[in-house]
Amino acid sequence: MKTCAARSGGTVYAYAEVRWDGASFHPVDDTTIFDGAKLRLQIKQSREGTDPVVAERDFPQLEARLEDSASEGKRTGTYRTATISHRAGAAALGDSVLFLDWHGDGRGYGRHDYTGSPTV
């Protein structure tokens, strides 16, 4: 997972990109791997202590991409979110969280936090 942020004047822009290399197995496209999978992209105001979220957007399209595979059953891929933006103060950063809900495990979404972007 890589989260990128950039600033132009008072506006901060962020996007995230996730890459995966999964096991090969059939069927080729298996929609029963997850009950849900999404990537949450955030822009946070950087300050001492906890950085408050000032903008966020969920990208649920990730589930279909993770469950898809090539014709030989290989599950590797890349997904890049759209760019989000927000007018932010002097120091802001991009952050992302991956939520996976494995099919039939009854646990709901598991949260996976990743390192955010440098402050811009």
Side-chain angles (χ1 to χ4, degrees), residues 51-115:
D51 298 332
V53 175
V54 294
E56 73 179 7
R57 181 173 164 198
D58 285 350
F59 294 89
Q61 303 88 343
L62 180 62
E63 179 182 359
R65 295 291 300 274
L66 288 170
E67 292 176 331
D68 197 13
S69 66
S71 60
E72 69 278 1
K74 189 170 183 177
R75 287 181 162 70
T76 60
T78 302
Y79 176 76
R80 180 179 164 167
T81 67
T83 301
I84 65 171
S85 63
H86 184 77
R87 292 202 46 88
L93 59 103
D95 204 0
S96 52
V97 182
L98 178 63
F99 292 94
L100 298 175
D101 183 359
W102 293 94
H103 177 70
D105 74 353
R107 295 181 182 171
Y109 280 104
R111 179 184 177 113
H112 305 276
D113 293 297
Y114 291 87
T115 303

Side-chain angles (χ1 to χ4, degrees), residues 25-34 63-64 66-69 75 103:
F25 61 91
H26 293 282
V28 174
D29 296 328
D30 186 352
T31 59
T32 65
I33 297 171
F34 298 103
E63 179 182 359
L66 288 170
E67 292 176 331
D68 197 13
S69 66
R75 287 181 162 70
H103 177 70

